Amino acid sequence: MSNGVTKKRVAIFGSTGSIGRQALEVIDANPGLFSVEVLTGQSNEDLLIRQALHFKPEVVVIGDEKKYPKVKDALSAHPIKVFGGEKAIEEVAAMDIYDIMLAAIVGFAGLRPTLQAIDNGKAVALANKETLVVAGDIVMQKALEKRAPIIPVDSEHSAIFQCLVGETRSRIEKIVLTASGGPFLGKKPNFLVNVKRDHALQHPNWNMGAKITIDSATLMNKGLEMIEAKWLFNLQPDQVQVIIHPQSIIHSMIQFEDGSIKAQMGLPDMKLPIQYALAFPRRIANAFPRYDFRKPGTLSFEEPDVKTFRNLTLATEALFKGGNLPCILNAANEIAVFAFLRNRIGFLDMTDLVERTMQQVPFIEHPTLDEYYESDGEARDFAASLIKL
Ligand code: NAD
Ligand code: MG
């Protein structure tokens, strides 16, 4: 307690990542508002230990079991429970020791713990977009049943969420998701065919984890975000539009049925949507740099080049067709990005891999959760088999 205000107890799943680390900066700057109760990391045990020593959470989980003894040992002098392994991450999500989970694990691995938090009736600040891409219908339905609020952290979705505050009786005509275009905006296939991982890892506006940085370079990130938006805001596929806005100042927009457009703006800094999601429904003051309209500069917009960045076309197909197709797209993409990051396949091969996997794995219109898991596995196996050839 501080100043009569109960602190929000935060569980950070994926605390060693880009989002996790920035969330801890936000919490560190607001010790009267938040306490850290759970930290989980997959493999960076040294950072996880440092974070635990600083924030003194109730529970720490290291995903990679081989590293458990080191983490346990390093924290043995403190009243911190330490667990290891994938199952433990899920089990801790089911514990009643936190108010809000920051879902900041990357990829499909974030789905089970997030579902567990929802089952547990906890609020979820959702960075892990793959959770909604894979099983958005099931996740949102469960959140409704359990009255578990899902507050987006992804900057575009945070923008839409912020624009919706106070609009309880207004109908959305469409939403416009802005995309920076990534480091290869304006490039054509003859250039992209030779792109290597180090170049693709350099994003012009955002400093993020490796997977989402590659997804931003291929525009798959925006494709995933279209699907994420559909589920978060209960939209029809044709209500979701993507526009390239290289400056990343407008984070996204809503057009309401009277034609009025609301945008949320600011300098690109993930700490802002993280802070908004953790503190919701209030805003908290900070000293982040401000956007200044008086400085020379333009805000520009253009149509995405979907012929070159075909991932956007594939994701649009998955968005419209629904069923397990987004799950298949996501699984194949995770394999493709992993292979590209290890220099096993080229930049354009990533899209081919996703496309071939979408054609291969059988379509299911209304999958159960188990069928989503199965489709994910099948898609991974098939995509991986293409790389070995
Ligand atoms: P990251 O790679 O920097 O961090 C990922 C975190 O997940 C780490 O803590 C890692 O230890 C953990 N992790 C990795 N594999 C795991 C596994 N198999 N099981 C359990 N934990 C595992 O990623 P990030 O950039 O922080 O992104 C996290 C999520 O947030 C992604 O879904 C991403 O799309 C989304 N997101 C990130 C940003 C950003 O600016 N980084 C912006 C919007 C959305
Ligand atoms: Mg985003």
Side-chain angles (χ1 to χ4, degrees):
M1 303 280 276
S2 94
N3 303 329
V5 181
T6 309
K7 289 188 194 183
K8 248 188 220 178
R9 300 172 302 164
V10 186
I12 304 192
F13 282 66
S15 67
T16 55
S18 159
I19 292 288
R21 293 192 309 267
Q22 293 180 82
L24 288 173
E25 281 181 47
V26 168
I27 291 173
D28 221 11
N30 295 281
L33 295 179
F34 306 110
S35 69
V36 177
E37 303 301 335
V38 177
L39 293 172
T40 88
Q42 184 60 16
S43 50
N44 188 344
E45 72 279 19
D46 292 325
L47 177 59
L48 188 63
I49 291 165
R50 279 204 304 281
Q51 291 178 339
L53 290 173
H54 184 79
F55 290 97
K56 306 272 167 47
E58 176 99 9
V59 172
V60 167
V61 189
I62 177 85
D64 181 350
E65 282 197 275
K66 291 191 295 295
K67 300 185 166 169
Y68 168 74
K70 181 172 171 188
V71 180
K72 171 92 183 141
D73 195 47
L75 302 177
S76 60
H78 302 272
I80 300 173
K81 295 184 197 75
V82 182
F83 302 110
E86 200 182 311
K87 265 256 122 349
I89 296 181
E90 228 179 302
E91 284 162 12
V92 170
M95 289 167 78
D96 195 17
I97 53 171
Y98 66 97
D99 302 312
I100 183 165
M101 166 193 275
L102 175 67
I105 289 175
V106 60
F108 178 84
L111 174 60
R112 287 176 204 257
T114 306
L115 272 174
Q116 199 58 258
I118 295 170
D119 244 339
N120 196 0
K122 303 299 183 190
V124 176
L126 187 73
N128 177 270
K129 64 193 80 185
E130 295 90 345
T131 285
L132 289 181
V133 174
V134 172
D137 52 346
I138 289 178
V139 172
M140 293 311 287
Q141 182 57 36
K142 201 185 264 293
L144 201 69
E145 279 164 24
K146 299 283 177 178
R147 294 171 184 266
I150 307 233
I151 308 149
V153 169
D154 213 350
S155 57
E156 297 76 4
H157 306 75
S158 175
I160 302 290
F161 189 86
Q162 292 182 51
C163 291
L164 277 174
V165 170
E167 297 285 356
T168 45
R169 292 175 182 217
S170 315
R171 282 248 288 281
I172 297 175
E173 198 165 82
K174 68 172 182 188
I175 64 164
V176 182
L177 297 179
T178 51
S180 70
F184 306 130
L185 178 61
K187 301 293 189 210
K188 295 291 171 194
N190 61 351
F191 175 91
L192 295 174
V193 72
N194 295 316
V195 158
K196 293 283 175 281
R197 85 186 271 283
D198 290 344
H199 193 182
L201 279 172
Q202 279 154 24
H203 194 278
N205 302 350
W206 302 95
N207 185 7
M208 311 176 284
K211 193 228 167 206
I212 184 174
T213 305
I214 301 303
D215 284 344
S216 299
T218 64
L219 288 202
M220 183 56 95
N221 183 49
K222 212 49 56 180
L224 300 177
E225 289 183 356
M226 291 168 75
I227 300 166
E228 179 187 15
K230 167 182 146 175
W231 292 120
L232 274 173
F233 306 114
N234 195 18
L235 300 168
Q236 295 303 312
D238 61 3
Q239 288 178 291
V240 184
Q241 188 180 318
V242 168
I243 196 88
I244 303 287
H245 166 47
Q247 300 81 17
S248 298
I249 298 298
I250 294 185
H251 298 309
S252 280
M253 301 174 256
I254 303 183
Q255 183 172 306
F256 292 97
E257 60 182 348
D258 62 354
S260 184
I261 298 169
K262 269 183 162 181
Q264 187 265 338
M265 309 172 72
L267 289 173
D269 181 349
M270 280 310 294
K271 286 203 288 299
L272 192 51
I274 291 169
Q275 167 179 307
Y276 185 82
L278 291 180
F280 182 78
R282 63 183 288 197
R283 290 187 185 273
I284 49 184
N286 60 42
F288 307 159
R290 268 47 172 163
Y291 180 66
D292 185 351
F293 280 96
R294 293 165 306 184
K295 286 209 178 123
T298 7
L299 299 184
S300 62
F301 307 91
E302 59 189 89
E303 285 244 44
D305 174 2
V306 295
K307 285 211 171 69
T308 302
F309 294 92
R310 289 197 307 117
N311 275 349
L312 214 44
T313 310
L314 295 177
T316 302
E317 185 192 337
L319 168 77
F320 274 84
K321 236 178 139 186
N324 63 342
L325 204 55
C327 169
I328 296 165
L329 165 117
N330 177 70
N333 182 57
E334 287 192 27
I335 296 293
V337 172
F338 188 80
F340 176 74
L341 283 169
R342 273 150 196 76
N343 298 313
R344 296 282 307 277
I345 61 174
F347 190 84
L348 295 176
D349 298 335
M350 287 191 275
T351 306
D352 294 338
L353 206 80
V354 173
E355 185 172 36
R356 288 183 63 186
T357 309
M358 286 169 73
Q359 290 160 354
Q360 173 71 21
V361 178
F363 180 68
I364 307 174
E365 195 167 359
H366 298 291
T368 62
L369 186 57
D370 282 338
E371 284 172 332
Y372 278 127
Y373 292 144
E374 282 159 24
S375 300
D376 173 81
E378 255 180 84
R380 275 167 204 275
D381 290 348
F382 181 75
S385 75
L386 293 177
I387 295 164
K388 284 190 200 102
L389 289 177

